[in-house]
Amino acid sequence: MVTSLGSDSGSSRLSEPGASQHGGGLGNPVGRIGGTETDDDDSEASGSDGEQELRVNGQLTRGACASTSSFHSHLDHKLSKKEVDKLEKKKWTYKWVVAMSNYKWRGTDKCFLKELDSFLFHGLKPTLHKHWLSIYEKSGGADFDSSKQRLFFSICNSYRDILHHNKKPFYLKGLEEDSSTMDAYVMHALNHIFRTRDLVKKNEAKLAKLQDNVKADILSNEAFLDRGFTRPKVLILLPLASVAFRLVKRLIDLTPPKYKSNVEEHERFYREFGAGVSEEKEDEDAAEISESKRSSKPSDFETLFGGNNNDHFMIGIKFTRRSIRLYGDFYSSDMIVASPLGLITKIGEAELYKDKNVDYLSSIEVLIVDHADVILMQNWSHVNTIVEQLNRIPSQQHGTDIMRIRQWYLDGQAPFYRQSIILSSHINPDINGLFNHHCLNHEGKVKLASEYKGVLPKVVLQIRQIYERFDANTAEDADDARFDYFTKKVFPKIKDSTQGGIMLFISSYFEFIRVRNFLKSQEASFCLLGEYTEQSDISRARGWFFDGKKKIMLYTERAHFYHRYKIRGIQNLIIYSLPERKEFYPEVVNLLQGSACTVLFSRFDQLRLERIVGTAASKRMVTSDKGVFVFC
């Protein structure tokens, strides 16, 4: 395979399995990457924090005082054809389990969690470690070695793909756990960025001392392969600007003082991502703002949507020798923080216009998707499209020194070196599908296995909850089987009843449309309350339903997520499909003014079912010979 980086790329390097790794001349002047890796502010090497390290034939060795860096061992690994073939099959075998307090970590390949004491901080820059420990102690923390931050950092630092799907989000009173997890992955991202810069700077310093006629021979040493096609190495996807505001603020806090003597565009960031107040006034105004915005909505709704709920944003962050640059050009940034919608817009523009591209996604080495459960309520297909766009060979050179690009980039193997970290409050088939089919890290995978107690005790009313199981042969057939069961078993009872106040709670918008069309065909008396319903129509529908002018109301999970309507007049609740978010089940059931609700489910709903009725009960319900179950 011959890799081309556009017609203006100058000298290039041939890339073919089994071929020599270098050829041709020097390409661009050594140590210069067209403004994407070096600039005047970065003119000094950042040093190694006192660590002694030496590369021999591309391999890292260190003094006795430091252990081998997971950063180097991960990126320097050479994949064999056998390993590549295995990764392309996308078959994963989880070989080990390590139990924690109320969950278990499962992983492929060799278990590393049992060796945490010796493994934990290898490769973390001492400057970062010292600053992190100082912040932890100032916040009142004790025994950092046993903290949640320490544990999750060690998992991130293993460079394996991670699926953490039982994280308590900050808006559900899980502030401590959420912050601990965020601190860990932010510190891992900072370490990856600074380690990358250290390696580039050291190599530039070595090359600067050599004569030009010797550099070509020196560059044939694999030790000088230290970069990708473009500069950005970390991509963090978040659902809302307020969440990005929280993350970037913490990123700045966790950056040691020597690297942030100046934070450029700080005030602009507060205006566009925050609540429009300066950092100095934020704390003193927080209580007043909270009081003025107080409403009848649940506290988690107010916490999540009380700030800047813009879902279309993208910001580049660059770390220079002594400062942090916000709003940097994407090609000169080290990290990109974006919403799926913001980034998918850029991808769409690149497809429409020849003068635009998203080549800055070509060299992402750490992908973090946080609050995936909220992104599920937006448009998860955007995440799939973005991940498919990552690590493609770029259309242009973008000033990169070809002779310094790691060989596995040129071989098209970058997806096998990208670490993907997905964090969510719950799991679903879409998240599972992304993790299983688009996260192909050669280090392997770790994922959570949780036991759920369920949320039935949160139903405060004396209500009979009747669960009816319908049969489905495959997951693909489940939607059709659910619809068939509803039209033949459930709707005839509704049609023949004279009682009104019937609410149909439906999780999926596509199911919502399907049921709506069916009710139209039956000339049923119904009204709609979905995520795309106009506000005037919503007010009218709620009035009609409460007054009994409309017999049936269709209500979607996404409408509840974004508005938390308190619907009055519900006499009969039918949950056509269980909600993804377990906390919505008691919220909706507690709106019922009648004495019973009906829930439809199949064995393919077990992920949702176990979060609501509990893991043990869900297993019995999907395997039992009985098809009807009652909870009171």
Side-chain angles (χ1 to χ4, degrees):
M1 179 181 75
V2 179
T3 301
S4 173
L5 298 182
S7 58
D8 61 342
S9 62
S11 175
S12 62
R13 199 162 86 223
L14 294 181
S15 175
E16 183 175 338
S20 173
Q21 291 192 0
H22 296 277
L26 281 176
N28 292 336
V30 173
R32 189 68 186 168
I33 318 177
T36 60
E37 289 276 4
T38 63
D39 56 29
D40 293 339
D41 292 327
D42 286 337
S43 57
E44 294 183 16
S46 56
S48 62
D49 290 324
E51 295 180 15
Q52 298 179 355
E53 54 183 52
L54 176 66
R55 285 178 170 270
V56 180
N57 295 327
Q59 300 300 316
L60 182 74
T61 61
R62 293 175 182 270
C65 63
S67 57
T68 303
S69 165
S70 55
F71 168 86
H72 289 295
S73 61
H74 172 63
L75 297 181
D76 290 349
H77 179 75
K78 294 180 182 179
L79 287 172
S80 66
K81 186 178 184 305
K82 183 178 179 181
E83 288 176 298
V84 171
D85 291 342
K86 182 179 179 181
L87 290 168
E88 288 178 339
K89 291 178 181 178
K90 303 178 182 180
K91 300 291 185 182
W92 313 102
T93 303
Y94 291 86
K95 300 180 178 179
W96 54 266
V97 176
V98 173
M100 298 297 175
S101 54
N102 60 341
Y103 55 85
K104 300 174 183 177
W105 283 106
R106 301 169 58 224
T108 63
D109 301 317
K110 181 182 177 182
C111 178
F112 65 95
L113 282 177
K114 294 180 180 179
E115 304 170 358
L116 283 186
D117 289 340
S118 60
F119 179 86
L120 180 63
F121 287 119
H122 75 219
L124 177 61
K125 286 173 65 67
T127 300
L128 291 174
H129 186 189
K130 182 179 178 181
H131 181 62
W132 193 13
L133 184 59
S134 172
I135 288 178
Y136 180 80
E137 291 174 346
K138 286 179 181 177
S139 67
D143 192 12
F144 186 65
D145 288 345
S146 300
S147 67
K148 293 178 179 178
Q149 290 99 314
R150 175 192 192 266
L151 170 65
F152 195 65
F153 174 83
S154 70
I155 298 174
C156 294
N157 194 42
S158 73
Y159 275 94
R160 287 161 171 80
D161 288 336
I162 302 167
L163 176 54
H164 184 341
H165 57 79
N166 195 21
K167 190 186 77 165
K168 294 179 182 176
F170 66 92
Y171 51 86
L172 284 178
K173 300 180 180 178
L175 186 61
E176 180 182 352
E177 179 178 339
D178 197 330
S179 299
S180 299
T181 305
M182 182 175 67
D183 280 7
Y185 76 65
V186 165
M187 190 57 66
H188 175 59
L190 285 172
N191 191 55
H192 188 85
I193 289 168
F194 290 157
R195 284 251 167 230
T196 299
R197 188 176 66 177
D198 284 352
L199 179 58
V200 170
K201 294 303 177 186
K202 288 172 190 173
N203 284 340
E204 288 176 351
K206 292 174 186 176
L207 291 170
K209 299 176 182 178
L210 301 175
Q211 299 294 326
D212 288 343
N213 60 348
V214 208
K215 287 179 181 177
D217 293 332
I218 294 296
L219 280 171
S220 64
N221 189 321
E222 295 177 16
F224 291 94
L225 302 185
D226 53 17
R227 63 196 60 180
F229 296 114
T230 54
R231 176 164 179 158
K233 292 293 179 284
V234 177
L235 172 64
I236 302 179
L237 295 180
L238 300 169
L240 301 170
S242 58
V243 180
F245 180 69
R246 180 173 176 264
L247 175 122
V248 175
K249 274 186 61 183
R250 192 58 177 169
L251 175 78
I252 295 170
D253 290 342
L254 289 172
T255 302
K258 64 182 285 187
Y259 299 121
K260 60 176 180 185
S261 57
N262 182 33
V263 181
E264 301 179 24
E265 300 287 356
H266 192 251
E267 289 299 319
R268 176 186 171 188
F269 174 71
Y270 263 78
R271 287 196 310 272
E272 296 184 3
F273 282 78
V277 297
S278 66
E279 183 176 12
E280 291 75 16
K281 292 189 65 181
E282 183 183 26
D283 290 338
E284 62 187 60
D285 290 352
E288 181 180 340
I289 293 172
S290 176
E291 183 70 24
S292 65
K293 290 186 176 182
R294 182 174 296 173
S295 71
S296 60
K297 304 290 186 183
S299 60
D300 64 290
F301 179 91
E302 290 296 334
T303 304
L304 179 60
F305 293 109
N308 186 339
N309 55 19
N310 175 28
D311 63 352
H312 191 285
F313 61 87
M314 191 167 170
I315 183 172
I317 302 174
K318 177 178 181 177
F319 294 87
T320 65
R321 186 165 57 93
R322 295 191 183 280
S323 68
I324 301 174
R325 290 181 183 173
L326 306 179
Y327 296 96
D329 172 78
F330 296 131
Y331 283 100
S332 64
S333 297
D334 297 293
M335 175 188 292
I336 296 172
V337 178
S339 67
L341 180 59
L343 190 47
I344 208 73
T345 301
K346 295 291 185 182
I347 292 173
E349 290 173 354
E351 293 173 349
L352 286 175
Y353 305 105
K354 292 183 179 179
D355 62 331
K356 296 189 176 184
N357 60 65
V358 288
D359 290 347
Y360 44 77
L361 300 178
S362 64
S363 303
I364 296 298
E365 293 172 354
V366 178
L367 166 69
I368 300 167
V369 183
D370 199 359
H371 301 286
D373 52 293
V374 178
I375 297 175
L376 283 169
M377 293 288 115
Q378 296 172 334
N379 191 334
W380 186 259
S381 66
H382 290 341
V383 180
N384 288 330
T385 301
I386 290 167
V387 174
E388 289 169 359
Q389 190 74 39
L390 298 180
N391 305 123
R392 294 185 178 182
I393 294 178
S395 58
Q396 300 176 27
Q397 182 179 341
H398 301 287
T400 304
D401 180 358
I402 304 296
M403 299 302 294
R404 302 272 294 276
I405 296 176
R406 294 180 185 273
Q407 184 62 34
W408 45 261
Y409 271 111
L410 298 175
D411 289 340
Q413 295 180 350
F416 303 138
Y417 289 83
R418 185 189 72 239
Q419 180 187 28
S420 300
I421 301 172
I422 303 174
L423 304 140
S424 176
S425 68
H426 64 261
I427 190 68
N428 90 327
D430 292 324
I431 295 176
N432 252 338
L434 179 72
F435 190 68
N436 292 335
H437 301 296
H438 296 288
C439 302
L440 311 176
N441 190 345
H442 75 81
E443 295 284 0
K445 298 175 180 287
V446 288
K447 66 184 296 187
L448 219 58
S450 301
E451 294 281 332
Y452 295 93
K453 296 180 180 179
V455 294
L456 295 183
K458 294 184 178 181
V459 176
V460 296
L461 304 176
Q462 294 297 315
I463 294 173
R464 294 178 71 244
Q465 301 157 65
I466 305 167
Y467 283 69
E468 298 183 12
R469 190 182 69 214
F470 60 89
D471 295 326
N473 295 324
T474 66
E476 290 74 20
D477 296 334
D479 286 347
D480 290 339
R482 187 189 311 275
F483 181 72
D484 189 62
Y485 187 88
F486 172 78
T487 58
K488 294 179 179 178
K489 301 289 186 181
V490 179
F491 182 72
K493 299 176 185 178
I494 297 175
K495 188 176 182 179
D496 295 339
S497 172
T498 57
Q499 183 187 33
I502 301 168
M503 173 182 279
L504 287 175
F505 181 90
I506 301 176
S507 177
S508 160
Y509 181 72
F510 300 105
E511 293 173 331
F512 173 78
I513 296 299
R514 191 176 195 180
V515 174
R516 180 202 67 183
N517 292 343
F518 171 75
L519 293 180
K520 279 185 178 180
S521 71
Q522 299 296 308
E523 298 182 347
S525 171
F526 71 96
C527 55
L528 305 173
L529 210 168
E531 55 264 41
Y532 300 114
T533 308
E534 295 291 338
Q535 187 60 48
S536 58
D537 294 333
I538 289 173
S539 300
R540 191 182 307 93
R542 293 174 69 182
W544 284 342
F545 185 71
F546 179 68
D547 294 336
K549 294 179 180 178
K550 296 293 181 180
K551 185 177 180 180
I552 303 169
M553 172 180 279
L554 270 61
Y555 188 36
T556 67
E557 180 174 7
R558 288 181 67 186
H560 190 70
F561 176 76
Y562 283 109
H563 302 288
R564 303 294 178 89
Y565 294 117
K566 290 188 176 180
I567 312 299
R568 297 183 300 163
I570 306 174
Q571 301 298 324
N572 186 5
L573 174 63
I574 299 172
I575 298 182
Y576 181 89
S577 48
L578 286 163
E580 285 276 11
R581 304 178 72 84
K582 62 182 180 181
E583 64 271 17
F584 286 179
Y585 180 83
E587 281 186 16
V588 174
V589 173
N590 284 331
L591 295 175
L592 183 61
Q593 294 176 339
S595 58
C597 76
T598 302
V599 181
L600 309 185
F601 76 98
S602 76
R603 62 189 178 96
F604 297 104
D605 292 320
Q606 186 166 358
L607 289 176
R608 301 185 188 196
L609 187 65
E610 69 173 347
R611 295 194 289 268
I612 292 170
V613 303
T615 301
S618 70
K619 290 178 179 178
R620 292 195 301 270
M621 291 168 70
V622 298
T623 57
S624 172
D625 293 335
K626 297 179 181 179
V628 179
F629 308 87
V630 180
F631 296 90
C632 297

